[in-house]
Amino acid sequence: MTKPLLLGGEPAHSERFLDVHHPYTGARIGVVAMATVDQVREAFRIAQAYRPALSRYERADIMNRAAAMLRMRLAEAARLISLESGLCQKDAIYEIGRVADVLNFGANEALRDDGQVFSCDLTPHGKRRKVITMREPLQGVITAITPFNHPMNQVAHKVVPSIATNNRMVLKPSEKVPLSACYFAELLYEAGLPPEMLQIVTGDPREIADELIGNPHVDLITFTGGVAIGKHIAARAGYRRIVLELGGNDPLIVMEDADIERAAELAVQGSYKNSGQRCTAVKRMLVHASLVGEFTEMVVEKTRHWRYGDPMDADTDMGTVIDEAAAMLFEQRVNAAVSQGARLLIGNHRDGALYSPTVLDNVHPDMALVRQETFGPVSPIIVFKDIDDAIRISNGTAFGLSSGVCTNRMDYATRFANELHVGNVNIWEVPGYRIELTPFGGIKDSGLGYKEGVQEAIKSFTNGKTFTLPWA
Ligand code: NAD
Protein backbone atom coordinates (compact mmCIF):
# COMPACT_ATOMS: atom_id res chain seq x y z
CA MET A 1 0.00 0.00 0.00
CA THR A 2 1.37 3.41 -0.92
CA LYS A 3 1.62 5.74 2.02
CA PRO A 4 -0.58 8.84 1.74
CA LEU A 5 1.27 11.81 0.33
CA LEU A 6 -0.24 15.07 1.30
CA LEU A 7 1.15 18.11 -0.43
CA GLY A 8 -0.24 21.40 -1.67
CA GLY A 9 -1.16 24.58 0.14
CA GLU A 10 -1.64 23.64 3.77
CA PRO A 11 -2.14 19.92 3.18
CA ALA A 12 -1.84 18.85 6.78
CA HIS A 13 -4.97 20.86 7.50
CA SER A 14 -6.87 19.80 4.41
CA GLU A 15 -10.20 18.29 5.22
CA ARG A 16 -10.88 17.20 1.70
CA PHE A 17 -9.04 14.38 -0.02
CA LEU A 18 -8.75 12.90 -3.45
CA ASP A 19 -8.60 9.11 -3.60
CA VAL A 20 -6.26 7.44 -6.06
CA HIS A 21 -7.22 4.00 -7.39
CA HIS A 22 -5.33 1.21 -9.13
CA PRO A 23 -7.03 0.95 -12.52
CA TYR A 24 -6.56 -2.85 -12.69
CA THR A 25 -8.24 -3.78 -9.40
CA GLY A 26 -10.03 -0.59 -8.44
CA ALA A 27 -8.32 -0.72 -5.02
CA ARG A 28 -7.65 2.59 -3.29
CA ILE A 29 -3.86 2.96 -3.25
CA GLY A 30 -3.34 6.48 -1.96
CA VAL A 31 -4.82 9.81 -1.11
CA VAL A 32 -3.84 13.43 -1.69
CA ALA A 33 -5.18 16.73 -0.48
CA MET A 34 -7.86 18.42 -2.52
CA ALA A 35 -6.55 21.98 -2.49
CA THR A 36 -8.91 24.92 -2.18
CA VAL A 37 -8.61 28.10 -4.24
CA ASP A 38 -7.22 29.85 -1.15
CA GLN A 39 -4.51 27.23 -0.78
CA VAL A 40 -3.55 27.66 -4.43
CA ARG A 41 -3.34 31.45 -3.90
CA GLU A 42 -1.13 30.83 -0.89
CA ALA A 43 1.18 28.63 -2.96
CA PHE A 44 1.61 31.46 -5.48
CA ARG A 45 2.19 33.98 -2.70
CA ILE A 46 4.94 31.79 -1.19
CA ALA A 47 6.53 31.27 -4.60
CA GLN A 48 6.44 34.95 -5.54
CA ALA A 49 7.96 36.02 -2.23
CA TYR A 50 10.91 33.66 -2.63
CA ARG A 51 14.00 34.59 -4.66
CA PRO A 52 16.03 31.49 -5.57
CA ALA A 53 19.75 32.02 -5.19
CA LEU A 54 21.20 28.61 -5.98
CA SER A 55 24.49 28.68 -7.86
CA ARG A 56 24.76 26.75 -11.09
CA TYR A 57 26.81 24.16 -9.24
CA GLU A 58 24.16 23.80 -6.52
CA ARG A 59 21.34 23.37 -9.05
CA ALA A 60 23.31 20.75 -10.98
CA ASP A 61 24.23 18.98 -7.77
CA ILE A 62 20.59 18.73 -6.63
CA MET A 63 19.48 17.32 -9.99
CA ASN A 64 22.35 14.83 -10.28
CA ARG A 65 21.76 13.70 -6.71
CA ALA A 66 18.03 13.24 -7.37
CA ALA A 67 18.84 11.22 -10.52
CA ALA A 68 21.16 8.94 -8.57
CA MET A 69 18.59 8.47 -5.79
CA LEU A 70 15.87 7.70 -8.32
CA ARG A 71 18.03 5.07 -10.01
CA MET A 72 18.62 3.49 -6.59
CA ARG A 73 14.87 3.50 -5.89
CA LEU A 74 13.87 2.26 -9.33
CA ALA A 75 11.69 -0.60 -8.10
CA GLU A 76 9.76 1.55 -5.61
CA ALA A 77 9.18 4.41 -8.04
CA ALA A 78 8.19 2.12 -10.93
CA ARG A 79 5.77 0.30 -8.65
CA LEU A 80 4.08 3.57 -7.76
CA ILE A 81 3.65 4.49 -11.43
CA SER A 82 2.10 1.09 -12.21
CA LEU A 83 -0.18 1.25 -9.19
CA GLU A 84 -1.71 4.60 -9.95
CA SER A 85 -1.73 4.52 -13.77
CA GLY A 86 -2.13 0.83 -14.64
CA LEU A 87 0.93 1.06 -16.91
CA CYS A 88 2.83 -2.23 -16.83
CA GLN A 89 6.08 -2.59 -14.92
CA LYS A 90 8.12 -2.69 -18.14
CA ASP A 91 6.70 0.69 -19.18
CA ALA A 92 7.10 2.12 -15.68
CA ILE A 93 10.73 0.99 -15.38
CA TYR A 94 11.46 2.55 -18.76
CA GLU A 95 9.83 5.77 -17.62
CA ILE A 96 11.99 6.00 -14.50
CA GLY A 97 15.11 5.72 -16.68
CA ARG A 98 13.82 8.60 -18.78
CA VAL A 99 13.14 10.74 -15.70
CA ALA A 100 16.71 10.16 -14.47
CA ASP A 101 17.95 11.20 -17.94
CA VAL A 102 15.93 14.42 -17.75
CA LEU A 103 17.53 15.21 -14.39
CA ASN A 104 21.07 14.57 -15.66
CA PHE A 105 20.49 16.62 -18.81
CA GLY A 106 19.06 19.44 -16.67
CA ALA A 107 22.17 19.34 -14.48
CA ASN A 108 24.42 19.59 -17.55
CA GLU A 109 22.43 22.54 -18.89
CA ALA A 110 22.63 24.34 -15.56
CA LEU A 111 26.41 24.14 -15.79
CA ARG A 112 26.52 25.37 -19.38
CA ASP A 113 27.01 29.11 -19.63
CA ASP A 114 24.39 30.65 -21.88
CA GLY A 115 25.79 34.14 -22.44
CA GLN A 116 27.28 35.53 -25.63
CA VAL A 117 29.67 38.44 -26.14
CA PHE A 118 29.39 40.75 -29.19
CA SER A 119 32.00 43.36 -30.13
CA CYS A 120 30.42 46.64 -31.25
CA ASP A 121 33.19 47.95 -33.55
CA LEU A 122 31.90 45.95 -36.50
CA THR A 123 30.78 48.82 -38.76
CA PRO A 124 31.97 52.39 -39.54
CA HIS A 125 29.62 53.81 -36.93
CA GLY A 126 30.44 51.16 -34.35
CA LYS A 127 31.96 51.92 -30.95
CA ARG A 128 34.55 50.33 -28.72
CA ARG A 129 31.94 48.62 -26.57
CA LYS A 130 30.74 45.08 -26.01
CA VAL A 131 27.25 43.62 -25.71
CA ILE A 132 26.89 40.74 -23.30
CA THR A 133 23.76 38.58 -23.29
CA MET A 134 22.39 36.59 -20.40
CA ARG A 135 19.25 34.67 -19.53
CA GLU A 136 17.33 35.43 -16.37
CA PRO A 137 14.62 33.50 -14.53
CA LEU A 138 11.12 34.89 -14.93
CA GLN A 139 10.01 37.71 -12.65
CA GLY A 140 6.85 35.84 -11.76
CA VAL A 141 5.88 32.24 -11.10
CA ILE A 142 5.50 29.39 -13.56
CA THR A 143 2.27 27.37 -13.58
CA ALA A 144 2.72 23.83 -14.86
CA ILE A 145 -0.16 21.47 -15.61
CA THR A 146 0.55 17.87 -16.62
CA PRO A 147 -1.39 14.93 -18.10
CA PHE A 148 -1.80 11.37 -16.84
CA ASN A 149 -0.01 9.34 -19.49
CA HIS A 150 3.60 9.59 -18.26
CA PRO A 151 2.92 10.25 -14.58
CA MET A 152 6.48 11.17 -13.63
CA ASN A 153 8.25 12.03 -16.88
CA GLN A 154 5.78 14.73 -17.90
CA VAL A 155 6.30 16.28 -14.49
CA ALA A 156 10.09 16.01 -14.82
CA HIS A 157 9.99 17.83 -18.16
CA LYS A 158 8.35 20.81 -16.45
CA VAL A 159 10.23 20.80 -13.16
CA VAL A 160 13.81 20.18 -14.30
CA PRO A 161 14.14 23.19 -16.65
CA SER A 162 12.57 25.29 -13.91
CA ILE A 163 15.21 24.24 -11.38
CA ALA A 164 18.00 24.58 -13.95
CA THR A 165 17.03 28.24 -14.42
CA ASN A 166 16.36 29.15 -10.74
CA ASN A 167 12.63 29.64 -11.31
CA ARG A 168 9.68 29.05 -8.99
CA MET A 169 6.95 26.70 -10.08
CA VAL A 170 3.49 25.70 -8.90
CA LEU A 171 2.62 22.41 -10.53
CA LYS A 172 -0.73 20.69 -10.76
CA PRO A 173 -0.42 17.06 -11.83
CA SER A 174 -3.28 15.11 -13.34
CA GLU A 175 -5.82 14.24 -10.66
CA LYS A 176 -5.66 10.69 -12.09
CA VAL A 177 -1.96 10.21 -11.19
CA PRO A 178 -0.95 12.72 -8.47
CA LEU A 179 1.22 10.31 -6.43
CA SER A 180 4.13 10.07 -8.89
CA ALA A 181 4.36 13.87 -9.02
CA CYS A 182 4.42 14.06 -5.20
CA TYR A 183 7.06 11.32 -5.08
CA PHE A 184 9.22 13.26 -7.54
CA ALA A 185 8.87 16.48 -5.55
CA GLU A 186 9.82 14.72 -2.30
CA LEU A 187 12.85 13.22 -4.00
CA LEU A 188 14.00 16.69 -5.04
CA TYR A 189 13.43 18.15 -1.56
CA GLU A 190 15.52 15.32 -0.15
CA ALA A 191 18.22 16.12 -2.71
CA GLY A 192 18.28 19.70 -1.40
CA LEU A 193 15.75 21.67 -3.44
CA PRO A 194 14.22 24.57 -1.48
CA PRO A 195 10.48 23.70 -1.35
CA GLU A 196 9.55 27.25 -2.38
CA MET A 197 11.01 26.53 -5.81
CA LEU A 198 8.52 23.72 -6.43
CA GLN A 199 5.09 23.39 -4.91
CA ILE A 200 2.64 20.72 -5.96
CA VAL A 201 -1.05 21.44 -5.68
CA THR A 202 -3.44 18.56 -6.11
CA GLY A 203 -7.16 18.82 -6.51
CA ASP A 204 -10.17 19.14 -8.73
CA PRO A 205 -9.32 21.16 -11.85
CA ARG A 206 -12.90 22.43 -12.09
CA GLU A 207 -12.29 24.21 -8.81
CA ILE A 208 -8.66 25.37 -8.99
CA ALA A 209 -7.73 25.58 -12.70
CA ASP A 210 -8.92 29.17 -13.12
CA GLU A 211 -6.69 30.32 -10.27
CA LEU A 212 -3.72 28.44 -11.73
CA ILE A 213 -4.18 30.28 -15.02
CA GLY A 214 -5.28 33.69 -13.80
CA ASN A 215 -3.37 34.29 -10.57
CA PRO A 216 -1.63 37.67 -10.90
CA HIS A 217 1.78 36.19 -9.98
CA VAL A 218 1.77 33.83 -12.98
CA ASP A 219 4.20 34.77 -15.78
CA LEU A 220 4.13 31.54 -17.77
CA ILE A 221 1.70 28.65 -18.11
CA THR A 222 3.28 25.47 -19.42
CA PHE A 223 0.62 22.89 -20.18
CA THR A 224 0.75 19.36 -21.55
CA GLY A 225 -2.55 17.65 -22.22
CA GLY A 226 -5.47 17.50 -24.62
CA VAL A 227 -6.40 20.05 -27.29
CA ALA A 228 -9.69 21.15 -25.71
CA ILE A 229 -8.14 22.21 -22.40
CA GLY A 230 -5.08 23.64 -24.16
CA LYS A 231 -7.25 25.94 -26.24
CA HIS A 232 -9.30 26.87 -23.18
CA ILE A 233 -6.06 27.93 -21.45
CA ALA A 234 -4.98 29.91 -24.54
CA ALA A 235 -8.30 31.79 -24.46
CA ARG A 236 -8.03 32.62 -20.75
CA ALA A 237 -4.33 33.30 -20.32
CA GLY A 238 -4.33 36.95 -21.41
CA TYR A 239 -0.97 38.74 -21.36
CA ARG A 240 1.10 35.75 -20.29
CA ARG A 241 3.52 33.46 -22.04
CA ILE A 242 2.03 30.06 -22.78
CA VAL A 243 3.60 26.81 -23.87
CA LEU A 244 1.07 24.22 -25.04
CA GLU A 245 2.03 20.61 -25.80
CA LEU A 246 -1.16 18.97 -26.99
CA GLY A 247 -2.55 15.86 -28.62
CA GLY A 248 -1.31 13.90 -31.61
CA ASN A 249 -2.54 11.58 -34.34
CA ASP A 250 0.78 10.30 -35.58
CA PRO A 251 1.22 8.10 -38.63
CA LEU A 252 3.69 5.32 -39.22
CA ILE A 253 4.15 5.38 -43.01
CA VAL A 254 5.34 2.18 -44.67
CA MET A 255 6.66 2.67 -48.20
CA GLU A 256 6.84 -0.06 -50.84
CA ASP A 257 10.60 -0.56 -50.41
CA ALA A 258 10.35 -1.20 -46.65
CA ASP A 259 11.45 -4.38 -44.89
CA ILE A 260 7.99 -5.55 -43.81
CA GLU A 261 9.04 -7.41 -40.67
CA ARG A 262 10.99 -4.41 -39.38
CA ALA A 263 8.10 -2.06 -40.18
CA ALA A 264 5.54 -4.34 -38.47
CA GLU A 265 7.71 -4.48 -35.35
CA LEU A 266 7.91 -0.69 -35.20
CA ALA A 267 4.16 -0.54 -35.77
CA VAL A 268 3.23 -2.67 -32.76
CA GLN A 269 5.87 -1.14 -30.50
CA GLY A 270 4.66 2.32 -31.42
CA SER A 271 1.03 1.39 -31.00
CA TYR A 272 1.02 -0.58 -27.73
CA LYS A 273 3.88 0.69 -25.58
CA ASN A 274 2.57 2.69 -22.63
CA SER A 275 -0.84 1.14 -23.38
CA GLY A 276 -0.99 3.26 -26.54
CA GLN A 277 -1.22 6.33 -24.31
CA ARG A 278 1.59 8.44 -25.72
CA CYS A 279 0.95 11.69 -27.50
CA THR A 280 3.29 10.24 -30.14
CA ALA A 281 1.88 6.70 -30.22
CA VAL A 282 1.31 5.27 -33.70
CA LYS A 283 -2.35 6.13 -34.18
CA ARG A 284 -2.55 5.50 -37.93
CA MET A 285 -0.62 2.93 -39.95
CA LEU A 286 -0.41 4.19 -43.52
CA VAL A 287 0.74 1.31 -45.70
CA HIS A 288 1.54 1.11 -49.42
CA ALA A 289 -1.01 -1.03 -51.29
CA SER A 290 1.68 -3.40 -52.63
CA LEU A 291 2.57 -4.77 -49.19
CA VAL A 292 -0.49 -4.12 -47.04
CA GLY A 293 -1.59 -7.80 -47.01
CA GLU A 294 1.69 -9.16 -45.69
CA PHE A 295 2.18 -6.21 -43.32
CA THR A 296 -1.30 -6.64 -41.84
CA GLU A 297 -0.77 -10.36 -41.24
CA MET A 298 2.46 -9.63 -39.40
CA VAL A 299 0.89 -6.90 -37.27
CA VAL A 300 -1.98 -9.23 -36.30
CA GLU A 301 0.47 -12.01 -35.43
CA LYS A 302 2.59 -9.73 -33.28
CA THR A 303 -0.54 -8.34 -31.63
CA ARG A 304 -1.65 -11.89 -30.76
CA HIS A 305 1.58 -12.34 -28.81
CA TRP A 306 1.45 -9.00 -27.05
CA ARG A 307 0.82 -10.00 -23.42
CA TYR A 308 -1.68 -7.71 -21.74
CA GLY A 309 -3.08 -7.97 -18.24
CA ASP A 310 -1.92 -7.43 -14.66
CA PRO A 311 0.34 -4.34 -14.70
CA MET A 312 2.30 -5.58 -11.68
CA ASP A 313 3.33 -8.84 -13.39
CA ALA A 314 6.92 -8.41 -14.62
CA ASP A 315 6.16 -10.34 -17.85
CA THR A 316 3.19 -8.20 -18.90
CA ASP A 317 3.80 -6.14 -22.07
CA MET A 318 0.78 -3.90 -21.59
CA GLY A 319 -1.26 -3.03 -18.51
CA THR A 320 -4.58 -1.22 -18.40
CA VAL A 321 -5.49 2.10 -19.88
CA ILE A 322 -6.09 4.91 -17.43
CA ASP A 323 -9.68 4.09 -16.54
CA GLU A 324 -12.79 2.25 -17.63
CA ALA A 325 -14.26 5.35 -19.29
CA ALA A 326 -11.24 5.54 -21.63
CA ALA A 327 -11.50 1.83 -22.49
CA MET A 328 -15.22 2.24 -23.24
CA LEU A 329 -14.48 5.14 -25.58
CA PHE A 330 -12.03 3.01 -27.62
CA GLU A 331 -14.57 0.20 -27.78
CA GLN A 332 -17.23 2.62 -29.06
CA ARG A 333 -14.93 4.18 -31.66
CA VAL A 334 -13.86 0.77 -32.95
CA ASN A 335 -17.49 -0.39 -33.13
CA ALA A 336 -18.45 2.78 -35.01
CA ALA A 337 -15.59 2.25 -37.50
CA VAL A 338 -16.69 -1.36 -38.03
CA SER A 339 -20.28 -0.22 -38.65
CA GLN A 340 -18.86 2.12 -41.35
CA GLY A 341 -16.95 -0.64 -43.15
CA ALA A 342 -13.72 -1.20 -41.23
CA ARG A 343 -12.78 -4.82 -40.49
CA LEU A 344 -11.86 -5.86 -36.95
CA LEU A 345 -8.97 -8.35 -37.20
CA ILE A 346 -8.11 -8.86 -33.54
CA GLY A 347 -8.92 -7.30 -30.18
CA ASN A 348 -11.55 -4.82 -29.00
CA HIS A 349 -12.07 -6.85 -25.80
CA ARG A 350 -12.69 -4.83 -22.68
CA ASP A 351 -12.75 -5.76 -19.03
CA GLY A 352 -12.98 -2.71 -16.80
CA ALA A 353 -9.93 -0.56 -17.66
CA LEU A 354 -8.23 -3.45 -19.43
CA TYR A 355 -8.49 -3.09 -23.19
CA SER A 356 -6.87 -5.58 -25.54
CA PRO A 357 -4.52 -4.52 -28.36
CA THR A 358 -6.70 -4.09 -31.41
CA VAL A 359 -6.08 -4.16 -35.18
CA LEU A 360 -8.47 -3.03 -37.93
CA ASP A 361 -8.05 -2.72 -41.66
CA ASN A 362 -10.26 -1.21 -44.36
CA VAL A 363 -10.03 1.95 -42.33
CA HIS A 364 -10.91 5.18 -44.11
CA PRO A 365 -9.19 8.46 -43.14
CA ASP A 366 -12.59 10.07 -42.50
CA MET A 367 -13.57 7.69 -39.67
CA ALA A 368 -13.62 9.28 -36.20
CA LEU A 369 -11.29 6.51 -35.01
CA VAL A 370 -8.43 8.06 -37.03
CA ARG A 371 -9.60 11.62 -37.58
CA GLN A 372 -9.66 12.25 -33.84
CA GLU A 373 -7.02 11.20 -31.35
CA THR A 374 -7.78 7.67 -30.12
CA PHE A 375 -5.51 7.59 -27.08
CA GLY A 376 -5.16 3.83 -26.61
CA PRO A 377 -3.76 0.58 -28.05
CA VAL A 378 -5.58 0.59 -31.39
CA SER A 379 -3.84 -0.10 -34.74
CA PRO A 380 -5.94 1.16 -37.68
CA ILE A 381 -4.47 0.26 -41.07
CA ILE A 382 -5.06 2.66 -43.97
CA VAL A 383 -3.90 1.89 -47.53
CA PHE A 384 -2.30 4.46 -49.85
CA LYS A 385 -1.22 4.19 -53.47
CA ASP A 386 1.83 6.47 -53.74
CA ILE A 387 3.88 9.02 -51.80
CA ASP A 388 1.60 11.95 -52.72
CA ASP A 389 -1.34 10.01 -51.32
CA ALA A 390 0.60 9.13 -48.14
CA ILE A 391 1.55 12.77 -47.53
CA ARG A 392 -2.00 13.96 -48.23
CA ILE A 393 -3.56 11.46 -45.79
CA SER A 394 -0.90 12.11 -43.18
CA ASN A 395 -1.47 15.87 -43.31
CA GLY A 396 -5.25 15.48 -43.41
CA THR A 397 -6.01 15.80 -39.69
CA ALA A 398 -6.01 18.78 -37.36
CA PHE A 399 -2.91 17.43 -35.59
CA GLY A 400 0.78 17.83 -36.44
CA LEU A 401 2.92 16.25 -33.73
CA SER A 402 5.25 13.57 -35.06
CA SER A 403 5.65 10.79 -37.61
CA GLY A 404 7.59 7.65 -38.39
CA VAL A 405 8.57 6.58 -41.90
CA CYS A 406 9.78 3.17 -43.06
CA THR A 407 11.79 3.63 -46.23
CA ASN A 408 15.39 3.31 -47.41
CA ARG A 409 14.97 5.76 -50.27
CA MET A 410 16.61 9.12 -49.75
CA ASP A 411 14.27 10.86 -52.21
CA TYR A 412 11.29 9.66 -50.14
CA ALA A 413 12.98 10.52 -46.84
CA THR A 414 13.67 14.11 -47.90
CA ARG A 415 10.15 14.58 -49.30
CA PHE A 416 8.64 13.44 -46.00
CA ALA A 417 11.02 15.64 -44.03
CA ASN A 418 10.01 18.64 -46.17
CA GLU A 419 6.32 18.00 -46.69
CA LEU A 420 4.86 16.41 -43.56
CA HIS A 421 3.16 19.08 -41.44
CA VAL A 422 4.56 17.88 -38.12
CA GLY A 423 7.18 18.75 -35.52
CA ASN A 424 9.25 15.56 -35.94
CA VAL A 425 9.97 13.10 -38.74
CA ASN A 426 11.74 9.88 -37.74
CA ILE A 427 13.03 7.62 -40.52
CA TRP A 428 12.98 3.98 -39.42
CA GLU A 429 11.79 4.81 -35.94
CA VAL A 430 8.49 5.18 -34.13
CA PRO A 431 7.02 8.71 -34.03
CA GLY A 432 7.76 8.80 -30.30
CA TYR A 433 11.51 8.47 -30.73
CA ARG A 434 13.44 11.26 -29.03
CA ILE A 435 16.02 11.90 -26.37
CA GLU A 436 15.05 13.99 -23.39
CA LEU A 437 17.46 16.82 -24.27
CA THR A 438 16.40 17.54 -27.85
CA PRO A 439 13.56 19.80 -29.06
CA PHE A 440 10.22 18.06 -29.13
CA GLY A 441 6.74 19.31 -29.96
CA GLY A 442 4.14 19.76 -32.65
CA ILE A 443 2.36 22.30 -34.81
CA LYS A 444 -1.31 22.88 -35.77
CA ASP A 445 -3.54 21.56 -32.96
CA SER A 446 -0.61 19.63 -31.46
CA GLY A 447 1.15 22.55 -29.87
CA LEU A 448 1.83 26.23 -29.59
CA GLY A 449 4.83 28.20 -28.43
CA TYR A 450 8.24 26.87 -27.58
CA LYS A 451 8.94 23.19 -27.84
CA GLU A 452 9.74 20.88 -24.96
CA GLY A 453 12.96 18.97 -24.30
CA VAL A 454 15.29 20.29 -21.61
CA GLN A 455 17.16 22.77 -23.83
CA GLU A 456 14.12 24.30 -25.51
CA ALA A 457 12.13 24.49 -22.29
CA ILE A 458 14.95 26.46 -20.72
CA LYS A 459 14.52 29.11 -23.43
CA SER A 460 10.81 29.41 -22.67
CA PHE A 461 11.42 29.57 -18.91
CA THR A 462 13.83 32.52 -19.13
CA ASN A 463 14.02 36.08 -20.40
CA GLY A 464 16.94 37.23 -22.46
CA LYS A 465 18.72 40.38 -21.29
CA THR A 466 21.63 42.28 -22.80
CA PHE A 467 23.93 44.76 -21.20
CA THR A 468 26.63 46.77 -22.86
CA LEU A 469 29.78 48.32 -21.50
CA PRO A 470 32.77 50.32 -22.69
CA TRP A 471 35.64 48.15 -23.93
CA ALA A 472 38.75 50.08 -24.85
P1 NAD B 1 -6.32 16.49 -20.25
O1 NAD B 1 -6.26 17.62 -21.21
O2 NAD B 1 -7.62 15.86 -19.96
O3 NAD B 1 -5.72 16.95 -18.81
C1 NAD B 1 -4.45 17.52 -18.72
C2 NAD B 1 -4.36 18.35 -17.43
O4 NAD B 1 -5.26 19.46 -17.52
C3 NAD B 1 -4.72 17.58 -16.18
O5 NAD B 1 -3.81 17.90 -15.16
C4 NAD B 1 -6.10 18.15 -15.85
O6 NAD B 1 -6.43 18.09 -14.48
C5 NAD B 1 -5.94 19.58 -16.28
N1 NAD B 1 -7.19 20.33 -16.46
C6 NAD B 1 -8.45 19.85 -16.51
N2 NAD B 1 -9.33 20.86 -16.70
C7 NAD B 1 -8.60 21.99 -16.78
C8 NAD B 1 -8.92 23.36 -16.97
N3 NAD B 1 -10.18 23.77 -17.15
N4 NAD B 1 -7.92 24.25 -17.00
C9 NAD B 1 -6.63 23.86 -16.84
N5 NAD B 1 -6.27 22.57 -16.66
C10 NAD B 1 -7.24 21.65 -16.62
O7 NAD B 1 -5.26 15.42 -20.79
P2 NAD B 1 -4.99 13.95 -20.26
O8 NAD B 1 -6.17 13.11 -20.61
O9 NAD B 1 -4.49 13.99 -18.86
O10 NAD B 1 -3.75 13.57 -21.19
C11 NAD B 1 -3.86 13.07 -22.47
C12 NAD B 1 -3.65 14.14 -23.51
O11 NAD B 1 -2.37 14.75 -23.35
C13 NAD B 1 -3.63 13.55 -24.92
O12 NAD B 1 -4.34 14.40 -25.78
C14 NAD B 1 -2.15 13.53 -25.27
O13 NAD B 1 -1.88 13.51 -26.65
C15 NAD B 1 -1.69 14.78 -24.60
N6 NAD B 1 -0.23 14.76 -24.41
C16 NAD B 1 0.54 15.60 -25.17
C17 NAD B 1 1.92 15.56 -25.06
C18 NAD B 1 2.83 16.44 -25.89
O14 NAD B 1 4.00 16.58 -25.56
N7 NAD B 1 2.34 17.05 -26.96
C19 NAD B 1 2.51 14.69 -24.14
C20 NAD B 1 1.69 13.87 -23.37
C21 NAD B 1 0.31 13.92 -23.51
Side-chain angles (χ1 to χ4, degrees), residues 20 23 77-88 91-93 95-96 98-99 145-159 171-185 200 274 277-278 322:
V20 185
R79 187 167 177 277
L80 181 60
I81 288 180
S82 287
L83 276 175
E84 71 171 347
S85 69
L87 293 172
C88 69
D91 288 336
I93 288 168
E95 174 157 347
I96 296 300
R98 292 184 65 189
V99 174
I145 302 178
T146 51
F148 73 79
N149 62 310
H150 285 296
M152 207 179 291
N153 199 36
Q154 294 294 351
V155 171
H157 268 286
K158 306 293 185 202
V159 171
L171 182 139
K172 192 204 78 61
S174 167
E175 62 281 11
K176 295 173 183 168
V177 292
L179 300 176
S180 300
C182 296
Y183 184 94
F184 187 62
I200 306 274
N274 225 57
Q277 301 167 133
R278 300 179 75 181
I322 189 65

Side-chain angles (χ1 to χ4, degrees), residues 145-149 154 172-176 205 209 213 223-227 229 232-233 245-248 278-279 283 373 375 401 440 446 452:
I145 302 178
T146 51
F148 73 79
N149 62 310
Q154 294 294 351
K172 192 204 78 61
S174 167
E175 62 281 11
K176 295 173 183 168
I213 300 166
F223 171 83
T224 301
V227 176
I229 297 173
H232 168 79
I233 291 173
E245 307 286 346
L246 308 180
R278 300 179 75 181
C279 52
K283 304 209 177 83
E373 181 183 43
F375 204 57
L401 189 52
F440 167 80
S446 292
E452 215 167 60

Side-chain angles (χ1 to χ4, degrees), residues 69-323:
M69 281 157 45
L70 188 60
R71 288 197 168 95
M72 297 269 292
R73 298 173 196 176
L74 170 72
E76 177 186 83
R79 187 167 177 277
L80 181 60
I81 288 180
S82 287
L83 276 175
E84 71 171 347
S85 69
L87 293 172
C88 69
Q89 279 282 277
K90 286 182 190 172
D91 288 336
I93 288 168
Y94 181 65
E95 174 157 347
I96 296 300
R98 292 184 65 189
V99 174
D101 284 354
V102 177
L103 285 160
N104 288 141
F105 281 133
N108 291 347
E109 290 305 300
L111 294 178
R112 210 159 63 94
D113 222 319
D114 46 24
Q116 278 182 293
V117 182
F118 296 83
S119 298
C120 300
D121 55 350
L122 305 179
T123 65
H125 56 272
K127 287 187 175 177
R128 287 186 174 280
R129 298 181 63 80
K130 287 199 191 287
V131 176
I132 297 172
T133 69
M134 54 192 198
R135 300 203 75 86
E136 291 186 327
L138 302 182
Q139 294 290 317
V141 181
I142 300 174
T143 286
I145 302 178
T146 51
F148 73 79
N149 62 310
H150 285 296
M152 207 179 291
N153 199 36
Q154 294 294 351
V155 171
H157 268 286
K158 306 293 185 202
V159 171
V160 163
S162 176
I163 298 172
T165 50
N166 252 346
N167 269 292
R168 295 140 298 158
M169 174 172 276
V170 173
L171 182 139
K172 192 204 78 61
S174 167
E175 62 281 11
K176 295 173 183 168
V177 292
L179 300 176
S180 300
C182 296
Y183 184 94
F184 187 62
E186 290 196 338
L187 187 82
L188 284 160
Y189 301 152
E190 196 182 328
L193 185 75
E196 296 88 344
M197 285 177 69
L198 171 65
Q199 296 172 80
I200 306 274
V201 293
T202 51
D204 184 343
R206 288 167 301 187
E207 228 177 296
I208 58 176
D210 281 355
E211 189 62 29
L212 285 158
I213 300 166
N215 185 284
H217 296 310
V218 176
D219 259 9
L220 162 70
I221 301 156
T222 172
F223 171 83
T224 301
V227 176
I229 297 173
K231 288 190 174 176
H232 168 79
I233 291 173
R236 288 194 65 96
Y239 191 68
R240 290 188 173 85
R241 192 177 301 173
I242 52 173
V243 175
L244 303 177
E245 307 286 346
L246 308 180
N249 197 353
D250 294 354
L252 183 77
I253 302 173
V254 184
M255 296 304 289
E256 71 273 17
D257 65 294
D259 171 336
I260 304 178
E261 161 73 32
R262 189 175 169 201
E265 186 57 30
L266 285 178
V268 294
Q269 299 274 342
S271 203
Y272 307 143
K273 286 267 185 195
N274 225 57
S275 300
Q277 301 167 133
R278 300 179 75 181
C279 52
T280 50
V282 172
K283 304 209 177 83
R284 298 176 289 159
M285 297 176 183
L286 310 190
V287 187
H288 191 273
S290 64
L291 41 73
V292 70
E294 214 179 323
F295 173 86
T296 305
E297 271 174 33
M298 278 191 198
V299 168
V300 170
E301 202 44 35
K302 288 175 187 295
T303 301
R304 205 183 308 286
H305 291 103
W306 204 269
R307 277 164 303 198
Y308 74 102
D310 185 353
M312 306 315 288
D313 181 337
D315 290 329
T316 298
D317 295 321
M318 194 177 88
T320 67
V321 296
I322 189 65
D323 52 28

